[in-house]
Amino acid sequence: MTNSASNQMWGGRFSAGPDAIMEAINASIGFDQRLAAQDIAGSRAHAAMLAAVGIVSDSDARAMREGLLTVLSEIESGTFQFSTALEDIHMNVEARLKALIGDAAGRLHTARSRNDQVATDFRLWVRDQCDAAEGGLMALIRALLGQAEAGADWVMPGFTHLQTAQPVTWGHHMMAYVEMFARDLSRIRDARRRMNESPLGAAALAGTSFPIDRAMTAEALGFDRPMANSLDAVSDRDFALEFLAVASISAMHLSRFAEELVIWSSAQFRFVTLSDRFSTGSSIMPQKKNPDAAELIRAKIGRIFGANVALMTVMKGLPLAYSKDMQEDKEQVFDAADNWMLALAAMEGMVKDMTANRESLRKAAASGFSTATDLADWLVRVLGLPFREAHHVTGALVAMAERAGCDLPELPLDDMQSVHPGITTDVYEVLTVEASTASRTSYGGTAPTQVRAQVARWKEILR
Ligand code: ARG
């Protein structure tokens, strides 16, 4: 970065350059250079529009548009010299354009302000991130569908309070996350639709007296329409907040799944084996294979939710229209977006690679009296007991099995009949975990038939 004493953008009113500290606190070029491509796309659209309505000549517009492409290629190839004295990406680009094409560059900023310019650039950037998130979520959903399809009838314990509750299927558990990530997908699409309006042409805050064509620049930049109020256009950042809110919810989902993978891959559970590609070893304990990727995904919610709170706090209480506070909107969003995309990709990789250990899953599913509810339901259905009484009888049978140190299917019929004489040998049919899961055919239930139907439905939707 290079520094200069006076400011070429507003030097007219100033007799002294800024203090070094002033320059340091004021400059955003250190981070907003990430908006370079969006800034140049916005300026190119603006230049074309200025010529189309006769505000600048065609030859000036052509020089600007071509010069801007040169600037972009310099930035992309890393030869561009960013200057802190030039504060931000907008002024860095414009100054370089002036060096390249001369005076015509000075006409580019007609009927425009950095306020609508930065609002436009940032919207375009966040919009791209919505598309990237959509891709990441779809890939993760596909990986989960693959697991669900393979293990539609593999039995595992279903938990409440992290205590064995009832047997469920592996496919059903995977599909629960498909539902969650699909809602994240729907939320990000929704946010994208709402943010897709152009602030460009709102100028500093009040619009402009030049005969600009805002619909033309909006269309050139892929926006659905220009924003309808210039004060709002330059001063709200709700599009970025919506992005962060969706990212936060999605990171929360990711962190819950990550936590399950951490638990499931432990030696005590052994429900899954994570691939070497997504695990790390220990420098001192040779036996260790650690689920670091899952742990880091679990932690990402911290910075993403932090970004959401930080930007909400920056925006809270700001009077209309633009205030410099709003320059603090970018770094948080950049960081949250980077980490959300990374977490999605890492989770997709882990899910694709992981192996469910069917034997351990089944064994765990069959322990802890997990079919007790099935037994109670049988007493209601076959013997006509009121559910409360069936619950009581089942409780007594569970206690008996616990004393005998066996599971429910291993209790002899005589013993069962000593608790309730009506019990017949038919009861054993509902006590296996396979029978238990297969019987739960209610819509959205855990039966393999239901899981396969849901997998088919999602595959159809994603096609
Ligand atoms: N770097 C500024 C930002 O990120 C650009 C807008 C500056 N506008 C102004 N009136 N100072 O918000």
Side-chain angles (χ1 to χ4, degrees):
M1 303 242 180
T2 59
N3 292 344
S4 73
S6 69
N7 191 298
Q8 34 178 310
M9 297 294 160
W10 58 69
R13 194 201 176 289
F14 285 70
S15 46
D19 188 272
I21 298 293
M22 177 59 204
E23 197 168 286
I25 195 173
N26 202 38
S28 54
I29 189 61
F31 49 87
D32 68 13
Q33 31 180 293
R34 280 189 79 169
L35 299 178
Q38 289 75 13
D39 193 67
I40 285 168
S43 289
R44 294 188 79 239
H46 186 66
M49 182 279 292
L50 290 177
V53 300
I55 297 173
V56 303
S57 69
D58 285 343
S59 65
D60 277 355
R62 202 172 318 115
M64 290 178 210
R65 286 171 53 81
E66 276 165 21
L68 285 162
L69 284 184
T70 308
V71 177
L72 182 62
S73 68
E74 289 176 0
I75 292 174
E76 281 171 348
S77 67
T79 58
F80 191 95
Q81 277 285 318
F82 289 104
S83 153
T84 318
L86 289 169
E87 197 181 318
D88 57 24
I89 185 64
H90 324 295
M91 300 207 289
N92 270 269
V93 169
E94 194 182 319
R96 179 65 188 141
L97 185 65
K98 183 150 194 283
L100 287 168
I101 69 167
D103 285 346
R107 299 187 193 282
L108 176 61
H109 214 52
T110 316
R112 184 178 80 170
S113 153
R114 276 189 298 154
N115 297 348
D116 59 338
Q117 195 177 353
V118 74
T120 303
D121 296 359
F122 198 30
R123 246 172 221 262
L124 289 170
W125 193 90
V126 175
R127 192 180 73 182
D128 283 349
Q129 295 302 307
C130 291
D131 295 341
E134 180 167 340
L137 284 163
M138 297 261 269
L140 174 54
I141 288 171
R142 289 212 167 85
L144 287 162
L145 283 173
Q147 286 285 352
E149 193 164 32
D153 59 0
W154 301 349
V155 183
M156 66 179 283
F159 298 95
T160 60
H161 315 266
L162 197 55
Q163 310 282 324
T164 301
Q166 293 174 350
V168 296
T169 50
W170 172 259
H172 196 50
H173 202 112
M174 294 300 114
M175 290 306 287
Y177 283 104
V178 166
E179 294 288 331
M180 290 178 242
F181 292 121
R183 281 195 298 278
D184 294 342
L185 185 64
S186 135
R187 267 185 281 272
I188 202 68
R189 285 177 175 158
D190 195 35
R192 188 200 194 279
R193 196 175 332 119
R194 210 171 359 264
M195 79 178 62
N196 200 31
E197 294 187 340
S198 174
L200 196 58
L205 73 164
T208 173
S209 57
F210 286 100
I212 59 171
D213 183 349
R214 292 191 59 206
M216 180 181 167
T217 45
E219 201 195 326
L221 295 169
F223 288 117
D224 295 329
R225 63 191 78 83
M227 290 180 76
N229 183 298
S230 60
L231 291 168
D232 172 47
V234 294
S235 70
D236 206 355
R237 294 292 183 264
D238 60 352
F239 64 95
L241 284 165
E242 256 193 279
F243 176 82
L244 292 176
V246 177
S248 298
I249 293 172
S250 181
M252 174 275 294
H253 287 149
L254 285 164
S255 84
R256 296 185 71 177
F257 192 25
E259 165 71 355
E260 297 206 302
L261 294 181
V262 170
I263 295 174
W264 291 354
S265 62
S266 69
Q268 289 69 22
F269 271 74
R270 287 194 194 288
F271 283 6
V272 295
T273 306
L274 300 175
S275 74
D276 288 356
R277 302 193 322 139
F278 285 94
S279 310
T280 57
S282 159
S283 52
I284 176 166
M285 297 164 283
Q287 86 282 12
K288 296 268 283 185
K289 189 164 148 187
N290 296 325
D292 291 36
E295 294 167 82
L296 288 163
I297 293 170
R298 181 173 63 184
K300 291 292 184 197
I301 178 73
R303 61 207 294 162
I304 295 173
F305 189 59
N308 191 19
V309 173
L311 183 54
M312 199 67 116
T313 312
V314 166
M315 294 306 295
K316 175 198 163 294
L318 284 188
L320 301 190
Y322 178 86
S323 295
K324 194 63 173 254
D325 306 54
M326 288 158 68
Q327 180 166 289
E328 289 287 316
D329 59 359
K330 294 170 202 67
E331 281 169 291
Q332 302 285 343
V333 178
F334 292 162
D335 183 76
D338 289 345
N339 282 285
W340 186 23
M341 303 313 149
L342 187 57
L344 285 171
M347 188 58 101
E348 185 216 343
M350 270 198 304
V351 171
K352 264 207 229 149
D353 277 17
M354 75 183 174
T355 323
N357 304 326
R358 286 183 69 179
E359 274 318 299
S360 317
L361 287 170
R362 194 195 176 282
K363 226 174 120 203
S367 70
F369 314 108
S370 67
T371 54
T373 316
D374 299 87
L375 174 53
D377 287 349
W378 186 88
L379 294 168
V380 170
R381 208 171 45 243
V382 180
L383 302 188
L385 263 54
F387 184 78
R388 284 294 157 219
E389 194 186 331
H391 187 286
H392 196 78
V393 170
T394 307
L397 289 168
V398 165
M400 181 180 267
E402 198 160 33
R403 274 195 308 275
C406 68
D407 264 311
L408 285 173
E410 287 137 37
L411 268 187
L413 187 62
D414 288 355
D415 288 355
M416 290 218 199
Q417 286 173 339
S418 73
V419 176
H420 195 288
I423 296 178
T424 65
T425 145
D426 287 355
V427 77
Y428 291 100
E429 279 164 33
V430 303
L431 295 183
T432 67
V433 289
E434 283 77 15
S436 170
T437 50
S439 73
R440 291 199 158 66
T441 53
S442 53
Y443 180 78
T446 200
T449 51
Q450 278 298 321
V451 173
R452 291 196 179 100
Q454 291 300 330
V455 171
R457 184 172 75 86
W458 276 111
K459 280 173 115 180
E460 186 57 35
I461 292 171
L462 294 179
R463 221 156 39 94

